[in-house]
């Protein structure tokens, strides 16, 4: 892009985009939504816009023309869906630069794109972005091992380009975008885009569709930035793939690279469930089969047939790319002529190799700069193909016949469709590809002749077109034999195979693909927004309080989560902070954990802090020289004799597993176990444990990479309630925990607050509470958080809930004003993983593990939200 063109970028993005704001559809409405019948704006994001700029050869002015193939699935889907009136589409993408464009010409062109084509061009001057895509991502996505050095400068260009696109999209958002907008991102050039949008505060639904295959996790793990790419995709609400194989490979990558929990339908990423689904891409058959067009195609097809009487015609159309298997195709065709001499002079291969437009642009630029870089390897491939074609034609041609008709340019729509319709077979041999839509177009055009389709088994289409004759491109004799068989198929057999293919293509067209993807995306519920915390109120309440209760968790709160539980020890800074807090006589400081006394006492026993260990089994009140007490009567551990040998056996045969033995509980840890091994181990172990639990008074608690067995009805909420009873005169309560693991503590606080409301409602409030303005606060901690705000809560209302997420101290504080309340039933909402897992999908603005919610009271025996802390 020229320097002058970039001057208009800021003003262009800053201008309002009118006519696109809509709202959610009827299917998203919870009832009488007055906007439910208005169209929703869908922002389609691609590397390049479906239009390009070219200079008129006569007038010299710039004009916008169609830039993509007529069978482009995204354009076909948008064309059809626009007719329904349910969506308004806005395109965001790159735009080619024909060169020598002045600033005034760009200023004239940009409004034309916006007004006439609903398109926003992105100005990104990052040539190494394309280099990274073609040299690293493209081969890797197509299951080719990384065969060149990874260059950080190219990766930085990729990140920079993605950020440029994200900034352009973020500038289009408005306060109602959550319900009026959806973002649909396409292909591997913009993998980081969803996560970047979340970082910029974009909260609307984001869908991402991968048009390439997704490799196995073993291949994808070769890339040094593998985790960043996966996290980038997980910023979306929905990730779509073309085949089940690709979907399964992506789930495996999430599990093996990031250690995330996955299911066949979603990835659990923090508190969000990212939906993963399969949407096979299609074409629009009506483009070929409408009466007027089909008559032209049929007429031209007959003309082509008349030029080659008695000759079997085979067609192939591929991009000029190293993964399209073009050398293999020509070698197989040569093998066919050698091994089946009866076809010599009777078979002609029409092969079209279209060179990508973007490559031609780079080729012209290289000629200007005299550079020798060819990231796609197209020049070498083209030279290799020319040698093969010359060799075959030189060997088998006659004065009036050549076996290969090789074209290095594409044909217009009618000419190409007529060639499809005239041929006796289609030969496509990619080494690896997603949906090969050329095969779909061939089938549609073969409505009369019903000629067979020979297709590589390494394409996504091979899993859908069951009537195709599948081949391995590397097996030259196998491909040659299949060509021979295809040319000798009976008419009845051709019809049967054709009907299978045509039926699938007709019912899985581009419109259905776009419709189902957008419907799936639109059906994903948006996460409830988190009200912002009025921090000054909490600070004021803290300073004005005469007695404060401060409750902290241990793992994930005072210490980070460690793969080795014994490594989670307190830092000097944390110990000093606890010591300083407990030195204030107005503070009652407690640490509540699932750890046993033998671990906690050496670390905290010398401090005058209260301790609660093993989920309320052991308790020590805050203050100096306090003794341990049993909060629960006798607890039977007879079941240890039966369970412990089983767990130790699994530890011995599972590399990386460990067993933590506490006074009344056993924990099987597998954080360091290879994911596949862990999955198989748990499939075998869990039925054994459930069988034992059904006979004993124990419960099985599954937490992050661990399984804990403990007596029933043990949880940290009991300790919290005991603390509140001990310090009933406290006028400030603050509870800080880790994610969902401490939900029982928040539930205890919530229940305690409700009891206070009930007491006020019945006129039985304790004298020291009435009008005291006492404050209770619950706190979650996270590895990364961002801030968003929704709604407000007036001071002194029972349902008041003020929440803030602070990136600097990784804490989320919930502050409930209690004094002078008007009793009413508290509104409840929960975003715990337990509930999210039951939904089809969930959404959130966060790009990593974040959570905050008004706490809920779980069932008495349902402690699945607890871990070691």
């Amino acid at each position: 892009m020229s320097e002058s063109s970039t001057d208009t970028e800021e003003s262009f993005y800053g201008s309002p985009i009118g006519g696109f704001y809509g709202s959610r559809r009827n299917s998203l409405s919870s009832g009488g939504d007055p906007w439910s019948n208005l169209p929703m704006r869908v922002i389609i994001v691609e590397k390049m816009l479906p239009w390009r700029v070219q200079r008129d050869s006569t007038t010299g002015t710039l004009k916008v023309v169609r830039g993509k193939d007529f069978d482009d699935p995204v354009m076909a889907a948008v064309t059809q869906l626009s007719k329904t009136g349910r969506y308004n589409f806005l395109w965001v993408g790159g735009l080619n630069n024909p060169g020598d464009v002045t600033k005034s010409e760009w200023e004239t062109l940009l409004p034309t794109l916006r007004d006439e084509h609903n398109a926003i061009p992105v100005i990104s001057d990052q040539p190494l972005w394309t280099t990274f895509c073609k040299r690293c991502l493209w081969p890797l996505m197509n299951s080719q091992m990384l065969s060149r050095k990874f260059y950080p400068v190219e990766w930085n260009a990729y990140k920079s380009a993605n950020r440029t696109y994200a900034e352009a999209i973020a500038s289009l958002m408005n306060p109602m975008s959550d319900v009026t907008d959806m973002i649909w991102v396409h292909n591997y050039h913009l993998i980081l885009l969803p996560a970047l949008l979340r970082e910029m505060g974009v909260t609307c639904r984001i869908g991402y569709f991968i048009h390439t295959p997704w490799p196995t996790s073993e291949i994808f793990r070769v890339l040094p930035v593998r985790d960043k790419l996966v996290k980038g995709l997980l910023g979306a609400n929905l990730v779509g793939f073309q085949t089940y194989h690709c979907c399964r490979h992506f789930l495996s990558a999430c599990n093996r690279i990031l250690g995330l929990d996955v299911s066949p339908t979603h990835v659990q990423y923090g508190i969000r469930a990212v939906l993963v689904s399969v949407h096979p891409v299609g074409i629009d058959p009506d483009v070929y089969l409408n009466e007027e067009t089909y008559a032209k195609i049929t007429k031209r097809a007959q003309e082509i047939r008349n030029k080659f009487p008695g000759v079997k015609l085979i067609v192939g159309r591929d991009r000029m790319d190293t993964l399209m298997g073009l050398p293999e195709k020509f070698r197989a065709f040569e093998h066919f002529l050698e091994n089946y001499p009866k076809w010599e002079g009777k078979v002609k291969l029409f092969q079209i190799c279209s060179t990508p437009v973007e490559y031609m642009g780079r080729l012209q630029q290289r000629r200007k700069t005299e550079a020798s870089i060819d990231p796609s390897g197209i020049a070498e491939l083209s030279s290799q193909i020319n040698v093969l074609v010359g060799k075959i034609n030189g060997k088998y041609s006659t004065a009036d016949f050549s076996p290969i008709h090789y074209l290095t340019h594409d044909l217009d729509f009618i000419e190409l469709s007529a060639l499809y319709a005239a041929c006796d077979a289609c030969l496509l041999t990619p080494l690896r590809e997603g949906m090969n839509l050329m095969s779909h177009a061939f089938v549609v055009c073969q409505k009369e002749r019903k000629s067979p389709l020979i297709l590589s088994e390494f394409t996504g289409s091979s899993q859908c077109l069951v009537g195709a004759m599948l081949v391995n491109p590397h097996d030259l004799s196998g491909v040659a034999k299949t060509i021979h068989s295809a040319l000798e198929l009976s008419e009845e057999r051709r019809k049967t195979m054709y009907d299978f293919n045509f039926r699938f293509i007709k019912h899985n067209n581009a419109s259905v693909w776009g419709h189902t993807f957008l419907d799936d995306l639109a059906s994903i519920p948006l996460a409830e927004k988190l009200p912002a915390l009025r921090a000054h109120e909490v600070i004021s309440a803290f300073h004005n309080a005469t007695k404060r209760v401060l409750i902290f968790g241990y793992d994930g709160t005072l210490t980070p989560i460690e793969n080795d539980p014994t490594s989670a020890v307190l830092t000097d800074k944390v110990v000093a902070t606890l010591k300083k807090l407990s030195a204030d006589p107005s503070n009652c400081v407690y640490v509540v954990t699932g750890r046993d006394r033998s671990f906690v006492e050496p670390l905290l026993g010398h401090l005058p802090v209260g301790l609660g260990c093993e989920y309320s089994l052991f308790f020590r009140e805050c203050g100096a020289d306090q003794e341990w007490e049993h909060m629960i009567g006798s607890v039977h551990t007879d079941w240890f004799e039966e369970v412990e040998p089983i767990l130790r056996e699994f530890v011995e045969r599972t590399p990386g597993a460990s067993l933590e033995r506490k006074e009344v509980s056993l924990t099987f840890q597998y954080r360091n176990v290879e994911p596949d091994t862990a999955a198989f181990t748990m499939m075998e172990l869990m039925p054994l444990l459930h069988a034992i639990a059904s006979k004993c008074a124990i419960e099985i608690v599954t937490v992050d990479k661990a399984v804990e067995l403990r007596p029933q009805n043990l949880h940290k909420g009991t300790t919290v309630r005991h603390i509140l009873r001990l310090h009933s005169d406290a006028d400030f309560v603050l509870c800080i925990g880790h994610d969902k693991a401490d939900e029982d503590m928040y539930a205890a606080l919530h229940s305690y607050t409700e009891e206070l409301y009930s007491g006020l409602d019945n006129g039985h409030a304790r004298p020291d509470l009435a009008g005291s303005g006492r404050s209770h606060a619950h706190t979650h901690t996270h590895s990364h958080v961002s801030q968003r705000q929704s709604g407000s809560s007036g001071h002194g209302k029972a349902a008041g809930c003020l929440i803030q997420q602070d990136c600097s101290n990784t804490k989320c504080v919930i502050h409930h004003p209690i004094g002078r309340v008007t009793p009413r039933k508290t509104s409840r909402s929960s975003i715990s993983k337990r509930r999210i897992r039951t939904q089809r999908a969930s959404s959130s603005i966060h790009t990593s593990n974040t959570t905050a919610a008004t706490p809920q009271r779980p069932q008495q025996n349902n402690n699945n939200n607890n871990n070691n802390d």
Side-chain angles (χ1 to χ4, degrees):
M1 193 65 67
S2 64
E3 182 178 355
S4 61
S5 66
T6 61
D7 296 337
T8 65
E9 182 180 356
E10 182 178 355
S11 60
F12 182 72
Y13 288 141
S15 62
I17 308 299
F20 297 103
Y21 299 150
S23 182
R24 63 177 70 195
R25 309 183 330 273
N26 282 322
S27 60
L28 299 178
S29 303
S30 58
D33 185 351
W35 295 343
S36 59
N37 293 321
L38 296 179
M40 176 175 283
R41 180 172 72 162
V42 178
I43 301 174
I44 298 179
V45 189
E46 292 191 285
K47 178 179 181 287
M48 299 298 293
L49 291 172
W51 299 276
R52 60 188 176 88
V53 178
Q54 69 179 30
R55 194 174 293 278
D56 190 283
S57 58
T58 304
T59 63
T61 59
L62 293 179
K63 61 179 181 179
V64 179
V65 298
R66 177 75 176 265
K68 288 198 171 186
D69 293 338
F70 47 80
D71 55 359
D72 176 64
V74 182
M75 195 65 172
V78 169
T79 301
Q80 293 300 317
L81 292 175
S82 297
K83 299 176 182 178
T84 66
R86 296 175 61 184
Y87 305 104
N88 283 328
F89 292 95
L90 175 65
W91 297 82
V92 175
L95 192 65
N96 71 302
N97 182 5
D100 303 325
V101 180
T102 65
K103 180 179 179 179
S104 60
E105 286 179 317
W106 275 115
E107 290 176 347
T108 304
L109 187 66
L110 295 180
T112 301
L113 285 166
R114 181 187 60 191
D115 299 335
E116 297 182 9
H117 302 287
N118 293 347
I120 306 295
V122 178
I123 314 300
S124 179
D125 186 16
Q126 292 290 342
L128 291 179
W129 171 32
T130 302
T131 303
F132 180 79
C133 291
K134 297 303 291 184
R135 281 190 167 185
C136 286
L137 287 185
W138 172 251
L140 204 66
M141 290 294 184
N142 288 277
S143 301
Q144 308 298 307
M145 291 295 289
L146 200 62
S147 58
R148 64 181 292 274
K149 184 179 179 180
F150 172 80
Y151 292 100
V153 64
E154 295 175 358
W155 166 244
N156 291 334
Y158 183 85
K159 291 192 296 182
S160 178
N162 275 252
R163 183 166 294 277
T164 301
Y165 276 70
E167 290 170 351
I169 297 167
S171 69
L172 300 172
M173 297 294 103
N174 63 84
M176 292 301 298
S177 286
D178 274 7
V179 294
T180 62
D181 294 341
M182 294 192 299
I183 301 173
W184 191 7
V185 189
H186 292 270
N187 232 344
Y188 64 96
H189 308 89
L190 300 167
I191 288 180
L192 301 178
L193 187 59
L196 290 172
L197 289 172
R198 298 308 187 194
E199 290 178 8
M200 295 178 182
V202 176
T203 58
C204 65
R205 298 172 181 86
I206 299 177
Y208 199 105
F209 191 83
I210 301 290
H211 291 262
T212 63
W214 189 275
T216 65
S217 60
E218 292 299 324
I219 293 177
F220 191 74
R221 288 165 65 188
V222 173
L223 195 62
V225 292
R226 59 202 181 174
D227 55 333
K228 296 178 177 62
L229 292 173
V230 175
K231 289 178 181 179
L233 281 180
L234 293 178
N237 302 101
L238 170 64
V239 181
F241 297 91
Q242 304 204 41
T243 68
Y244 288 99
H245 289 172
C246 298
C247 184
R248 188 180 71 249
H249 293 161
F250 175 73
L251 293 172
S252 177
C254 293
N255 178 249
R256 296 177 66 88
I257 295 173
L258 299 182
L260 302 176
D261 293 331
V262 301
S263 77
T265 59
H266 73 272
V267 179
Q268 196 65 41
Y269 188 50
I271 65 167
R272 297 194 304 113
V274 180
L275 186 65
V276 179
S277 59
V278 177
H279 299 270
V281 176
I283 63 172
D284 183 6
D286 294 337
V287 172
Y288 301 87
L289 299 180
N290 72 77
E291 185 174 350
E292 180 180 356
T293 302
Y294 191 67
K296 295 179 181 178
I297 293 173
T298 303
K299 178 181 178 181
R300 178 55 183 154
Q302 187 58 49
E303 293 174 355
I304 295 174
R305 292 297 311 175
N306 293 339
K307 290 183 178 181
F308 304 98
V311 177
K312 296 286 187 179
L313 304 180
I314 302 175
V315 64
R317 176 175 174 250
D318 303 273
R319 295 189 312 277
M320 183 70 76
D321 192 282
T322 55
L323 291 172
M324 292 300 102
L326 291 169
E328 287 78 8
K329 178 188 292 191
F330 288 120
R331 292 191 185 102
F333 187 70
E334 181 182 16
H335 199 79
F336 163 74
L337 295 176
E338 289 177 354
N339 288 271
Y340 301 93
K342 76 171 192 174
W343 292 110
E344 188 173 333
K346 298 179 181 179
V347 175
K348 177 181 282 290
L349 171 63
F350 279 91
Q351 179 59 48
I352 303 170
C353 294
S354 57
T355 304
V357 174
E358 60 179 16
Y359 171 77
M360 295 303 296
R362 292 197 304 271
L363 182 61
Q364 294 175 2
Q365 187 65 27
R366 276 205 312 278
R367 287 171 178 168
K368 293 179 181 180
T369 60
E370 298 183 356
S372 58
I373 299 176
D374 181 16
S376 304
I378 292 180
E380 182 180 352
L381 175 64
S382 178
S383 177
Q384 184 181 6
I385 291 174
N386 288 334
V387 171
L388 286 172
V389 172
K391 174 187 174 184
I392 297 171
N393 278 340
K395 183 176 181 180
Y396 294 100
S397 293
T398 63
D400 57 353
F401 180 83
S402 60
I404 298 179
H405 197 103
Y406 177 53
L407 302 176
T408 57
H409 62 87
D410 222 335
L411 304 178
D412 63 45
F413 173 70
I414 297 297
E415 188 74 7
L416 181 61
S417 301
L419 184 59
Y420 290 162
C423 287
D424 298 280
C426 178
L427 179 61
L428 301 170
T429 58
L431 305 181
R432 183 70 172 164
E433 193 179 17
M435 284 292 175
N436 187 304
L437 298 183
M438 184 267 169
S439 62
H440 294 222
F442 171 80
V443 170
V444 171
C445 293
Q446 280 287 329
K447 187 176 180 181
E448 300 295 331
R449 298 180 62 83
K450 297 179 172 52
S451 298
L453 170 65
I454 305 172
L455 185 62
S456 167
E457 63 185 67
F458 303 121
T459 64
S461 297
S462 67
Q463 301 179 35
C464 306
L465 304 180
V466 296
M469 304 177 72
L470 303 185
V471 294
N472 181 346
H474 303 283
D475 180 9
L476 301 184
S477 60
V479 175
K481 182 178 180 180
T482 304
I483 296 174
H484 171 71
S485 300
L487 297 178
E488 292 194 332
L489 280 176
S490 66
E491 183 176 349
E492 182 180 358
R493 180 60 178 162
R494 291 204 313 270
K495 182 180 183 305
T496 302
M497 297 168 64
Y498 175 84
D499 289 342
F500 277 122
N501 293 337
F502 184 78
R503 190 179 303 116
F504 177 86
I505 294 170
K506 184 69 174 178
H507 292 107
N508 293 273
N509 54 49
S511 177
V512 171
W513 167 66
H515 176 80
T516 55
F517 186 91
L518 292 179
D519 268 9
D520 282 354
L521 179 59
S523 67
I524 297 174
L526 289 171
E528 296 184 9
K529 292 184 177 180
L530 306 178
L533 169 72
R534 294 171 183 170
H536 65 280
E537 293 184 3
V538 175
I539 295 173
S540 176
F542 181 89
H543 287 300
N544 293 332
T546 58
K547 185 174 182 179
R548 314 177 190 94
V549 174
L550 310 176
I551 304 172
F552 303 96
Y554 187 83
D555 290 285
T557 305
L558 300 180
T559 67
I561 295 294
E562 300 285 354
N563 288 335
D564 179 8
T566 61
S567 301
V569 296
L570 300 173
T571 63
D572 294 339
K573 184 177 180 180
V574 172
V575 172
T577 302
L578 291 174
K579 188 174 182 179
K580 184 176 181 179
L581 285 173
S582 58
D584 187 339
S586 299
N587 295 337
C588 302
V589 182
Y590 286 88
V591 176
V592 181
T593 177
R595 298 275 191 167
D596 58 358
R597 288 185 295 179
S598 62
F599 180 87
V600 174
E601 197 158 22
L603 298 172
L604 294 167
H606 63 288
L607 298 176
V609 300
L611 299 174
C613 297
E614 291 209 44
Y615 304 107
S616 77
L617 184 61
F618 303 106
F619 179 78
R620 192 188 78 176
E621 190 176 351
C622 64
D625 302 325
Q626 296 291 334
E627 299 294 330
W628 286 97
E629 60 179 282
H630 287 260
M631 292 186 60
I632 299 177
S634 61
V635 178
H636 297 286
T637 58
D638 300 342
W639 52 274
F640 271 38
E641 298 178 0
E642 185 175 1
V643 175
E644 188 171 3
I646 296 175
L647 295 179
R648 291 201 179 279
E649 179 185 349
F650 275 86
V651 169
E652 291 174 359
R653 73 189 210 190
T654 308
S658 63
L659 177 63
E660 185 179 1
R661 192 183 196 277
K662 305 173 187 176
E663 294 189 44
V664 295
S665 64
L666 296 171
T667 302
F668 179 79
Q669 301 273 4
Y670 56 95
R671 289 191 179 97
N672 297 318
V673 179
E674 192 274 332
D676 288 342
T677 303
F680 283 109
T681 299
M682 298 311 296
M683 287 175 61
E684 185 178 359
L685 175 61
M686 292 305 291
L688 298 176
L689 298 181
H690 282 296
I692 297 174
S694 64
K695 300 181 296 182
C696 306
I698 62 174
E699 60 182 344
I700 302 171
V701 181
T702 303
V703 292
D704 184 29
K705 308 296 189 235
V707 175
E708 185 168 32
L709 291 91
R710 67 191 187 199
Q712 292 179 351
N713 302 324
L714 285 182
H715 55 79
K716 287 183 279 187
T718 305
T719 303
V720 171
R721 293 189 64 85
H722 184 62
I723 293 171
L724 295 177
R725 285 194 297 268
L726 285 175
H727 306 285
S728 60
D729 58 337
D731 50 357
F732 182 90
V733 176
L734 175 70
C735 183
I736 302 178
H738 169 66
D739 198 26
K740 67 167 188 174
D742 296 306
E743 190 169 312
D744 285 320
M745 294 200 299
Y746 313 139
L749 285 170
H750 189 70
S751 175
Y752 180 74
T753 303
E754 285 188 327
E755 290 175 7
L756 294 180
Y757 299 156
S758 177
L760 287 172
D761 192 28
N762 296 326
H764 298 298
R766 283 169 282 186
D768 60 330
L769 293 183
S772 64
R774 64 175 65 214
S775 301
H776 294 255
H778 321 161
T779 302
H780 297 265
T781 66
H782 312 289
S783 58
H784 170 74
V785 287
S786 56
Q787 182 173 326
R788 62 192 285 202
Q789 177 176 351
S790 174
S792 61
S793 173
H795 184 78
K797 292 186 178 181
C801 180
L802 304 176
I803 304 175
Q804 181 185 34
Q805 295 182 332
D806 183 354
C807 293
S808 61
N809 59 15
T810 66
K811 290 183 174 63
C812 168
V813 180
I814 305 178
H815 169 222
H816 289 273
I818 295 181
R820 292 189 295 275
V821 298
T822 302
R824 63 185 178 89
K825 186 174 181 180
T826 303
S827 172
R828 298 197 175 192
S829 64
S830 175
I831 55 174
S832 67
K833 288 185 182 178
R834 181 177 65 253
R835 294 187 61 180
I836 286 184
R837 287 180 188 276
T838 65
Q839 300 175 358
R840 184 176 185 190
S842 172
S843 63
S844 171
I845 66 168
H846 310 309
T847 59
S848 62
N849 192 11
T850 62
T851 178
T854 303
Q856 299 297 304
R857 180 65 183 171
Q859 296 296 322
Q860 182 68 20
N861 294 330
N862 187 357
N863 295 302
N864 292 340
N865 289 337
N866 290 323
N867 63 11
N868 219 18
D869 181 26

